[in-house]
Amino acid sequence: KLPEVLDWFKNFRLEKHSNFLGDVKITVTQVSAGKEHNVVPASVNLVVDVRVNDKYSNEELSKILVEAAPCEMTPRSLRLNSSSIGIDHELVQAGVALGRKTYGSPTLSDQAALKCPSVKLGPGLSTRSHTANEFIFVHEIEEAVKIYIELVGKIL
């Protein structure tokens, strides 16, 4: 049964696509079972990482997955929802005017706890975020300081 469950998570697709964040991403990140090398385990526990987009709330996704999944599911937390800001917001427009590109980040941060429009603007490449051996160059920090000053100057 485990191969079928893993295959289900690998192939399950939701209908609402975000032009900014893409599809909801569902990935099995942990599998644990058994304690003896010669005994078939009675149960298997999975941890499933769900990267929400701006088209679903955590509660809505949880309901869909609990009802559709071929196994029992219990959400760890529904507290941190996707955050966003309109492309027409003055802060976004100031960044675009400075030549910055908009990007939807699939990574989780404290920004998810905010209840107001927000941007995530950090030095370095977002693709290095939350990866093994994550790093940032000093010149990227120096460039970011200049960008922050210019950005704030455009909206003041």
Side-chain angles (χ1 to χ4, degrees), residues 46-65:
L46 306 175
V47 173
V48 179
D49 181 71
V50 179
R51 300 295 169 115
V52 65
N53 65 20
D54 54 329
K55 300 297 181 181
Y56 294 94
S57 70
N58 288 347
E59 290 79 8
E60 186 180 10
L61 275 176
S62 175
K63 185 176 187 303
I64 291 167
L65 291 172

Side-chain angles (χ1 to χ4, degrees), residues 9-21:
F9 281 111
K10 179 181 174 186
N11 295 310
F12 184 73
R13 298 290 175 265
L14 292 145
E15 72 179 52
K16 296 180 189 174
H17 173 81
S18 167
N19 291 331
F20 198 62
L21 294 173

Side-chain angles (χ1 to χ4, degrees), residues 56-137:
Y56 294 94
S57 70
N58 288 347
E59 290 79 8
E60 186 180 10
L61 275 176
S62 175
K63 185 176 187 303
I64 291 167
L65 291 172
V66 165
E67 290 175 1
C71 59
E72 182 180 329
M73 292 190 71
T74 305
R76 282 185 172 179
S77 172
L78 301 175
R79 186 175 62 88
L80 299 174
N81 283 291
S82 180
S83 59
S84 66
I85 189 169
I87 193 73
D88 58 339
H89 191 281
E90 68 176 332
L91 189 58
V92 175
Q93 288 302 304
V96 169
L98 290 172
R100 309 311 298 171
K101 290 185 173 36
T102 58
Y103 175 78
S105 174
T107 60
L108 181 66
S109 71
D110 293 341
Q111 180 184 20
L114 296 175
K115 302 291 186 211
C116 60
S118 62
V119 296
K120 187 189 280 189
L121 177 65
L125 298 176
S126 185
T127 54
R128 293 193 308 241
S129 180
H130 302 281
T131 61
N133 302 316
E134 179 179 357
F135 68 93
I136 187 166
F137 293 109

